[in-house]
Amino acid sequence: MNLNELTIKEATEGLKNKKFTSVELTKACLDRIKKRNSEINAFITVADEGALREAKAADEMIASGKAGALTGVPFSVKDAICTEGVRSTGSAKILDNYLPPHEATVIRKIRAGGGVLVGKNNCDAFGHGASNENSMYGPVRNPRDLSKVAGGSSGGSAAAVADDMCIYSIAEDTGGSIRQPASFCGVVGLRPSYGRNSRYGIMPMASSLDTVGPITKTVEDAALVMNAIAGQDKMDATTVPEPVPDYLKALGGNLKGVRIGLPKEYFDAPGIESEVKARTLEVVEKLKKLGCLITEVSLPHTKYSIAAYYIIVPCEDSSNLGRLDGVRYGVRAKAACLDDLYAESRERGFPEEVKRRILIGTYALSAGYYDAYYKKAQQVRTLIRRDFDEVFKKVDALITPTSPFTAFGIGEKIDDPLLMYLADVMVGPAALAGMPALSVPAGEDKNNLPIGVQVIGSRLAEGKVLKIGQFIAI
Ligand code: GLN
């Protein structure tokens, strides 16, 4: 087995027992990136020199007995998350030359603990998309089948982990961007509860939904990363003060008596592929054999979630993206007057989908339309959240597919934004409700494309979600 194929747990054990050094492990990942990235396009920036420097420092930490759970382990970061001194483009040309002066809190925690940053992952620009085709640096290709998308928006992170270019990745999930690409690429992706992990230093997309979480090869690794990054942060007032449990410990024990709900709206979703549905139900059977109590439940407002999401998110997008005008950050177009400078910088610096969201959001927030659109969508969001609150009085977790279908072809949906938005049908509701949700690989379809099963938990129940997920992983 090559070093870059290891999980976090295997890597830290090997490092501790001096079977290899972090420099060797990091070189194995960098070699893999060199070999595969031209095809897969998972990285926009490779931090070779910095990574080797950090690996050397990590080896010293290990030698002096100061190693933590992620010391010396190479990881990658979605490019919509700021890394100090390492180019962070958000996959949009307007930030092509942007070197953040600050570091996202979650990344600071990992690097302070001896994590080794190998590079920045391609994504849909600013997280807008479900296929990674809305990147101005080209689409990411699915390592399982290069003619298919890797999913989005964190397609680069999921493909990098699936193709062993790094040991794990840190990504952002506003409405599915960790879970859906994880499911398309056959890896594990956890969206934590809103407020569990700090959002400081991520490029804000829809601030009331944005979360940061891990993409890993195993559920156990996701628990390890959560142990390192979760918690309140004075730089993000929306982080919650509740203590962070030990997620690794939460994996212990069995599933006897755990109450699982199957929301019927998800299993009847339009466009759901029969193989995806059948595989999810097989997983449910397995959980039943392990002692889970299974009941059908209903989340009646699910059908409004795409409509509400695609009002709320563009509104918040348009407000957040107002800061990117060519003056304060990144690339500035040459122009004769200020208005032209704004227009030209944005015209060249944003892809179509970003412009579409700014236009929709600005329109929906304008005087006279605010009540009809944004306010109404927020009211619907409350109903969606109440559905979850009600159902979690009766069950401990919900099991659903992560996506109605497996990875689709590159180019297949890109010209039809509405079709693309429908890809979020199973990942959007939990995001609107602020609940934690995990995608776990659960086999493949007849074309060898991974199928992901989703576990949704109640607020701050990441431990429970991970525990159930661990039994699903095969
Ligand atoms: N498909 C979702 C969107 O385009 C994904 C967003 C996200 O989680 N960053 O809005």
Side-chain angles (χ1 to χ4, degrees):
M1 196 188 216
N2 298 318
L3 293 182
N4 53 305
E5 291 167 23
L6 299 176
T7 64
I8 299 176
K9 186 163 178 252
E10 293 162 346
T12 44
E13 264 169 27
L15 288 167
K16 203 172 90 198
N17 300 328
K18 312 233 174 326
K19 289 208 177 114
F20 47 82
T21 64
S22 173
V23 169
E24 286 163 345
L25 177 61
T26 303
K27 278 188 179 153
C29 291
L30 292 172
D31 283 349
R32 182 73 182 169
I33 296 173
K34 217 169 272 159
K35 188 162 162 218
R36 296 281 285 171
N37 197 46
S38 56
E39 245 173 347
I40 294 180
N41 199 22
F43 284 85
I44 292 178
T45 302
V46 182
D48 348 32
E49 279 175 29
L52 289 172
R53 220 180 312 121
E54 288 174 11
K56 252 186 223 140
D59 281 331
E60 280 160 27
M61 266 176 101
I62 296 166
S64 62
K66 286 192 208 120
L70 302 177
T71 309
V73 182
F75 73 112
S76 67
V77 175
K78 181 177 188 172
D79 217 20
I81 300 178
C82 291
T83 41
E84 190 178 348
V86 180
R87 182 166 81 128
S88 303
T89 70
S91 292
K93 292 279 172 162
I94 199 161
L95 292 181
D96 190 52
N97 58 1
Y98 181 53
L99 294 176
H102 64 312
E103 180 120 288
T105 297
V106 290
I107 307 304
R108 186 179 49 69
K109 286 184 175 179
I110 294 173
R111 284 169 103 187
V116 176
L117 175 67
V118 291
K120 300 300 295 289
N121 292 120
N122 198 350
C123 56
D124 285 298
F126 305 122
H128 303 164
S131 69
N132 216 126
E133 292 167 291
N134 296 328
S135 163
M136 292 180 94
Y137 297 84
V140 176
R141 294 182 180 271
N142 194 312
R144 290 287 183 105
D145 176 346
L146 298 177
S147 71
K148 305 284 184 201
V149 301
S153 65
S154 316
S157 292
V161 175
D163 202 59
D164 300 310
M165 299 189 211
C166 55
I167 309 297
Y168 70 99
S169 188
I170 298 295
E172 159 274 336
D173 187 309
T174 298
S177 282
I178 288 179
R179 292 162 285 157
Q180 189 253 24
S183 129
F184 279 15
C185 292
V187 289
V188 172
L190 173 69
R191 172 203 166 85
S193 312
Y194 183 78
R196 178 75 291 181
N197 296 347
S198 172
R199 292 180 296 116
Y200 175 74
I202 70 167
M203 294 178 192
M205 178 182 157
S207 305
S208 73
L209 289 96
D210 296 344
T211 60
V212 187
I215 295 185
T216 54
K217 298 175 189 176
T218 64
V219 173
E220 193 177 31
D221 278 3
L224 276 167
V225 178
M226 280 298 286
N227 276 354
I229 65 174
Q232 197 177 13
D233 178 16
K234 66 175 189 310
M235 303 301 281
D236 175 2
T238 60
T239 47
V240 294
E242 275 82 349
V244 179
D246 183 335
Y247 294 110
L248 212 50
K249 275 207 186 117
L251 299 181
N254 60 42
L255 292 183
K256 287 214 173 67
V258 172
R259 298 163 306 164
I260 300 282
L262 304 183
K264 66 172 196 277
E265 291 78 8
Y266 286 66
F267 289 86
D268 295 339
I272 184 169
E273 281 173 0
S274 57
E275 275 187 281
V276 169
K277 184 170 172 173
R279 187 67 203 121
T280 310
L281 291 173
E282 271 169 46
V283 163
V284 171
E285 268 314 299
K286 179 176 169 185
L287 293 176
K288 198 169 166 184
K289 287 203 185 96
L290 291 169
C292 290
L293 308 170
I294 314 287
T295 39
E296 190 183 88
V297 295
S298 173
L299 298 163
H301 296 93
T302 301
K303 56 179 177 290
Y304 304 117
S305 65
I306 292 284
Y309 179 93
Y310 279 100
I311 292 292
I312 294 167
V313 169
C315 286
E316 297 187 17
D317 267 335
S318 73
S319 163
N320 276 322
L321 290 165
R323 78 194 69 198
L324 296 177
D325 54 10
V327 175
R328 281 165 285 193
Y329 309 87
V331 179
R332 183 181 303 173
K334 286 201 176 63
C337 67
L338 190 61
D339 276 353
D340 287 357
L341 185 152
Y342 290 155
E344 210 32 51
S345 301
R346 287 172 170 159
E347 170 57 25
R348 291 201 215 149
F350 289 150
E352 282 311 295
E353 179 62 23
V354 173
K355 293 177 197 161
R356 184 178 296 119
R357 293 197 187 203
I358 293 173
L359 289 175
I360 295 173
T362 309
Y363 176 82
L365 286 176
S366 58
Y369 292 111
Y370 175 91
D371 283 345
Y373 295 110
Y374 187 69
K375 190 171 162 206
K376 182 62 80 190
Q378 288 287 22
Q379 287 167 332
V380 173
R381 180 183 189 177
T382 301
L383 297 176
I384 290 169
R385 205 198 59 234
R386 281 191 195 146
D387 281 355
F388 281 98
D389 290 340
E390 274 311 304
V391 102
F392 283 127
K393 287 179 188 158
K394 289 177 263 170
V395 298
D396 298 302
L398 303 168
I399 299 284
T400 78
T402 305
S403 163
F405 32 71
T406 53
F408 48 87
I410 291 184
E412 202 178 306
K413 295 184 197 283
I414 192 67
D415 295 325
D416 188 340
L418 286 182
L419 211 59
M420 191 68 87
Y421 296 168
L422 283 173
D424 301 346
V425 65
M426 295 180 176
V427 280
L432 284 166
M435 306 295 172
L438 174 77
S439 181
V440 188
E444 288 150 2
D445 70 5
K446 58 180 182 306
N447 301 317
N448 294 324
L449 292 171
I451 295 173
V453 165
Q454 178 173 231
V455 188
I456 305 174
S458 60
R459 263 186 75 64
L460 300 180
E462 283 78 6
K464 212 179 275 176
V465 163
L466 287 164
K467 178 173 173 173
I468 297 168
Q470 204 191 15
F471 285 93
I472 294 176
I474 51 169

